[in-house]
Amino acid sequence: MITIITVILFVYLAGCVLYNLLLAIAGRLSRKKKIAYEETATYAKIAILIPAYKEDSIILSTVNSYNRLHYPLHQFEVVVIADSLQSRTMEELAATGVNVIPVKFDKSTKAKSLNTAFEKLGDNYDLALICDADNMLEADFLLKINHAYQQGHHAIQGQRVAKNLNTPFAILDAANEIIANHLYRKGANALGLSSSVIGSGMAFHYPLIKQVLREIQATGGFDKVLQLLVISKGHSILYLEDAYVYDEKITHAAVFENQRKRWMSSQLVYLRTFWGRGWAALFKGDVNYFNLAVCQNALLPRMLLLAALTVCTALGFLLQRFMPVSYYWWVALFILNILSLLLPIPGKFFSKYLFTAVVTLPRAVGIMILLLFRLKGADKTFIHTTHTQTGIDNPLLDAARK
């Protein structure tokens, strides 16, 4: 029995490592595409949708930052979906001239807010860009999104980069997103697969996203459902590496715990929900759907994967005589996993920032291990992450952009 369990564990962990390594290599071999947006003569009408739940401390600075966008003013509209904002904030938002849509729910979710906005907005838009309340866009973001749209892409994910590197957890979170962007977005596109979406900084053909959102009732992880619905309707998701959206990184352990609890819970829920449909899609030749429905949901989170391999390699050394899988196989797998994590990291990040991330890693891993026993009901509860970073404080911005 121990032999069977050990072999199954090795095969599963090896699958996770090789999957990440394949995407890491593919991303490395893929060149960064520069967008010649200056050549675009047609401008799509864009609705920038910002669900804002209790984001009084950040939403005004975010809205004001959009005044600096290089895009015809009459061709985009900022829409704030105001959920539980204070009356003073509502007044200040109204004074900016943005479109404010007040909403109120017994149980708030991003999907509900977006659906309400679509019900109240007209259909005079080509694209809907979904952003979080803390997101700031680089000045030419809309120009690049528009260029991709004019080329026929109806589902586009921009590159999220860190707004802040002001705490050890923020640095670790920034490194984590750099790796995720490289693997599951750039690497996936390089292999001819759809990029996964992140939940913000993503743009869709307006009629498409309006239709898709009507079918989503998710509390947590709505982006996992969204991307599968987009794929099922015959669209591929483009990762636009050259279009930057700045995102606030978590600053301390409590926020990290809440965020990861939500992510881990939704991953398990949607693995169970889409397991059968994912395999059925594979048998029909739809590798895209299978990848997002099964592969990425079955994948052990990278921090837990690192922890599992560390423990297994150590046990393999201590119990060499009794282990059915050779210790050297565990060492090889451990090294390949480290390689899959280092390949996506830009050279400029190999400094005190990477050292800080590594030092913070054991505490983060410990939190995630404990969360494995506290996931029950997390997918049915709206877990809000509070944002406070009103400016961009990232000394390694070029490294984060790659």
Side-chain angles (χ1 to χ4, degrees), residues 289-359:
Y289 194 95
F290 176 77
N291 178 54
L292 293 177
V294 176
C295 295
Q296 292 197 9
N297 283 324
L299 194 66
L300 194 64
R302 291 182 301 281
M303 290 185 190
L304 293 181
L305 179 59
L306 179 62
L309 288 171
T310 301
V311 171
C312 289
T313 304
L315 289 176
F317 175 75
L318 295 173
L319 305 173
Q320 291 184 52
R321 293 177 56 188
F322 309 100
M323 292 289 283
V325 177
S326 170
Y327 163 66
Y328 297 103
W329 282 106
W330 287 113
V331 171
L333 202 57
F334 182 85
I335 293 172
L336 290 176
N337 184 57
I338 296 298
L339 184 60
S340 74
L341 297 175
L342 293 180
L343 277 176
I345 301 293
K348 291 183 179 180
F349 207 86
F350 286 88
S351 63
K352 65 177 182 178
Y353 291 100
L354 184 61
F355 175 77
T356 301
V358 171
V359 170

Side-chain angles (χ1 to χ4, degrees), residues 129-130 135 141 145 148 153-160 177 181 184-186 189 194-204 223 226-227 236-245:
L129 171 64
I130 299 173
N135 290 160
F141 185 90
I145 292 290
H153 298 285
H154 282 190
I156 307 160
Q157 174 64 63
Q159 181 181 180
R160 280 201 331 201
E177 183 137 76
N181 282 335
Y184 313 125
R185 286 171 266 287
K186 183 177 182 179
N189 270 188
S194 276
S195 160
S196 61
V197 298
I198 320 174
S200 68
M202 51 187 187
F204 302 93
D223 49 326
L226 186 154
Q227 63 190 9
S236 186
I237 302 170
L238 173 70
Y239 174 51
L240 208 55
E241 187 185 9
D242 202 32
Y244 309 119
V245 53

Side-chain angles (χ1 to χ4, degrees), residues 272-285:
R272 184 170 60 248
T273 302
F274 296 109
W275 175 264
R277 278 177 267 183
W279 282 101
L282 179 64
F283 292 137
K284 294 177 182 177

